[in-house]
Amino acid sequence: RRPVVYSQFMGTDITPQIDELPGNRNRSKTNLFGQGYTDDGKVTLGCSRKGKFWSYDATNNFGEWIDWCQSLGLKLLDDTIPTDAFLKNLVKPERQETMPLKTPIAIVWPESILDMDESRIELVFAGDAQPIFNCDITISEFGNDGPVRFVISCDQKKCLFEMTIRDQAAHYEQRDGDDLQVMLRRRQLSISDWFKEDPPQIYYGDGDMLVDTELFVLPTHGERPSFDLERMIPRKWTGVDIRVESQGLEKKANSIQKFLIDELVSSGNFDVVFDDDASGEAADIVCIKEENNALFVHLFHCKYSSAPRPGARVADLHELCGQSQKSLRWRESPKVFLQHLRKREGDRKKRTGVSRFEQGDPSIINGWLGRWSELSYRFEITAAQPGYSKSKVKAEHLELLAATSSLLMETWKIPFSLLCSD
């Protein structure tokens, strides 16, 4: 029964409330908190009207805390930064009544699984339980109208789903395959129910992202940088069948993946060259080098050509760009990334006796895991598509590559390049 003296708004759609709340003329904003990206990657930052600043970032190093204070102080003293700049650069969600008329290129698991132990999350295919790190979720059709169709798979097991928006809600419905459940924190529920509670993220070719019914639209002010043609690197794919992607357990000599692995191993530039190909992969090839207490991680995504000769086909780029955008999750949590590699090696050795290490061994990964919080990280991503010809490149295809490159650079400052044909 007392007057309201304090109101708090949390969520993705609070921007209009900041400026349009009735009675704002006699109220003052006392606290703001959000998350975004700097040169150091993802950060959180809050501030109060009284002059207090805080972050959810954690450190055990007093020197890092001092550095954070000093960098914050430089921003406070910089008069060239407008005080309302954060509103201009917000990625503002737009609630959708129907599916956006955009081409989806990637779908990723709900972000919350990064905070869980992947080995304790299982997908149950008609009674057959599989750890989620051996499973994959991928777009099955790259159309720009109708529902988003995606596949959840593990080895030969595949289940087809559709996502639609109707009646002001997102719906996830299974269309084909065996009954699929998820075992989450000792609780078993259907994939549809799981995604209603914790929706996956869908990436579009223009850089926008859909979560449930909310489309996160990139700011339109300014121009998006075009894709640097110097980062489209033509190669001679001698001895490669451009329609053969994976080397497999038998290590096919004419595959795209084997061609790159041999080149990367012979270069001597990496401590680890790791074949992570198969459902649930971080990339087809993972290369890691430690130098000066920092890990340089280079992820390679390979894709076979849709035709026997190189050309300019957007179908040859959609999935590659989607896989590259999905790689952001591994930079988000380096500990989870290293744990993923260790689990993948152990699982394959147990099932087939064949190691995933093309160079290096598990002891190197274990050593990095033991001091992961002491290391700094730098990622780079390369897509390999010998079926795409640089000399025949089209402007609309460059826009797709530019959107992927911009997303990677503007979040975790990850360089992106494409290996292609002449």
Side-chain angles (χ1 to χ4, degrees):
R1 298 178 181 177
R2 299 177 62 184
V4 175
V5 295
Y6 178 81
S7 299
Q8 179 172 320
F9 300 91
M10 300 178 66
T12 58
D13 55 353
I14 65 168
T15 308
Q17 307 293 336
I18 295 176
D19 292 323
E20 300 171 10
L21 185 70
N24 263 358
R25 286 180 299 175
N26 59 1
R27 297 188 184 189
S28 62
K29 303 177 185 71
T30 59
N31 295 274
L32 286 171
F33 189 86
Q35 68 178 26
Y37 293 87
T38 68
D39 288 346
D40 297 321
K42 192 173 184 178
V43 297
T44 60
L45 185 64
C47 63
S48 72
R49 188 178 183 88
K50 293 182 178 180
K52 181 183 291 185
F53 291 84
W54 67 93
S55 172
Y56 284 153
D57 299 339
T59 179
N60 294 319
N61 186 317
F62 191 70
E64 290 181 358
W65 180 79
I66 293 176
D67 291 341
W68 179 81
C69 293
Q70 290 178 336
S71 65
L72 188 61
L74 290 174
K75 295 175 184 178
L76 290 171
L77 295 173
D78 188 345
D79 293 333
T80 65
I81 300 177
T83 55
D84 61 349
F86 75 95
L87 285 174
K88 179 182 177 182
N89 294 312
L90 279 179
V91 179
K92 301 175 183 178
E94 299 176 0
R95 193 173 298 279
Q96 306 294 296
E97 299 291 335
T98 59
M99 295 300 294
L101 296 177
K102 296 173 176 285
T103 301
I105 62 173
I107 182 171
V108 299
W109 300 116
E111 190 174 13
S112 62
I113 73 169
L114 289 175
D115 299 324
M116 308 179 200
D117 184 348
E118 278 191 324
S119 63
R120 297 190 178 186
I121 307 171
E122 294 182 325
L123 298 185
V124 185
F125 294 81
D128 180 19
Q130 297 288 338
I132 199 169
F133 62 78
N134 276 344
C135 303
D136 206 0
I137 181 169
T138 57
I139 297 293
S140 61
E141 295 181 19
F142 298 102
N144 62 358
D145 58 355
V148 172
R149 295 179 173 89
F150 60 95
V151 170
I152 296 178
S153 61
C154 181
D155 295 329
Q156 302 304 313
K157 305 180 185 71
K158 296 181 184 294
C159 297
L160 176 65
F161 288 80
E162 285 185 354
M163 183 227 176
T164 57
I165 296 176
R166 61 181 187 272
D167 302 326
Q168 299 183 331
H171 301 267
Y172 307 88
E173 299 165 306
Q174 185 168 352
R175 296 304 187 193
D176 195 15
D178 295 329
D179 176 64
L180 183 58
Q181 304 279 314
V182 61
M183 186 66 71
L184 198 66
R185 293 194 178 104
R186 300 181 181 178
R187 185 168 61 110
Q188 185 166 320
L189 64 163
S190 70
I191 294 295
S192 298
D193 289 339
W194 179 31
F195 285 171
K196 286 180 183 178
E197 292 182 7
D198 198 1
Q201 299 173 355
I202 297 170
Y203 292 100
Y204 289 101
D206 60 2
D208 292 349
M209 180 178 69
L210 182 68
V211 182
D212 197 61
T213 61
E214 293 183 324
L215 182 68
F216 289 78
V217 181
L218 293 182
T220 56
H221 61 273
E223 294 184 3
R224 175 180 292 158
S226 59
F227 187 70
D228 183 0
L229 285 176
E230 294 298 316
R231 301 202 69 83
M232 184 179 284
I233 307 166
R235 301 291 305 276
K236 297 294 184 183
W237 301 90
T238 306
V240 173
D241 182 341
I242 65 173
R243 304 198 73 175
V244 178
E245 176 183 324
S246 304
Q247 67 169 356
L249 296 176
E250 63 273 31
K251 301 187 185 298
K252 300 172 189 173
N254 66 339
S255 66
I256 302 167
Q257 186 189 23
K258 176 64 173 171
F259 176 86
L260 289 176
I261 285 175
D262 288 346
E263 186 176 90
L264 292 164
V265 170
S266 63
S267 72
N269 293 333
F270 299 97
D271 300 320
V272 165
V273 178
F274 189 88
D275 172 8
D276 197 31
D277 182 41
S279 297
E281 66 187 33
D284 292 291
I285 308 169
V286 177
C287 300
I288 311 177
K289 170 75 172 180
E290 181 181 1
E291 196 169 54
N292 299 325
N293 220 32
L295 288 191
F296 168 56
V297 179
H298 200 150
L299 303 179
F300 290 82
H301 295 282
C302 308
K303 191 63 183 175
Y304 63 86
S305 173
S306 61
R309 294 185 179 279
R313 297 173 291 269
V314 72
D316 288 330
L317 298 178
H318 274 144
E319 189 169 350
L320 268 179
C321 289
Q323 290 173 334
S324 300
Q325 292 188 21
K326 288 172 68 170
S327 296
L328 280 173
R329 65 168 295 199
W330 302 111
R331 177 59 186 91
E332 195 91 10
S333 181
K335 180 181 180 181
V336 172
F337 169 68
L338 294 172
Q339 289 174 334
H340 166 86
L341 300 181
R342 184 169 65 179
K343 292 169 186 172
R344 297 276 283 180
E345 167 67 1
D347 181 73
R348 189 205 245 187
K349 283 293 292 287
K350 182 179 179 180
R351 288 188 296 112
T352 68
V354 179
S355 175
R356 290 185 177 275
F357 283 90
E358 299 287 341
Q359 182 172 318
D361 57 65
S363 66
I364 300 176
I365 301 294
N366 290 334
W368 289 331
L369 262 173
R371 53 192 182 91
W372 75 269
S373 61
E374 303 169 11
L375 299 168
S376 60
Y377 299 87
R378 181 167 61 91
F379 276 57
E380 184 169 341
I381 295 173
T382 296
Q385 176 51 279
Y388 197 89
S389 171
K390 181 176 181 178
S391 62
K392 300 177 181 179
V393 65
K394 297 181 179 180
E396 59 266 31
H397 301 173
L398 289 175
E399 290 178 6
L400 174 60
L401 294 169
T404 300
S405 179
S406 294
L407 177 67
L408 296 174
M409 284 297 294
E410 291 172 6
T411 51
W412 287 100
K413 215 171 186 180
I414 299 175
F416 172 71
S417 56
L418 175 69
L419 298 179
C420 56
S421 293
D422 292 325

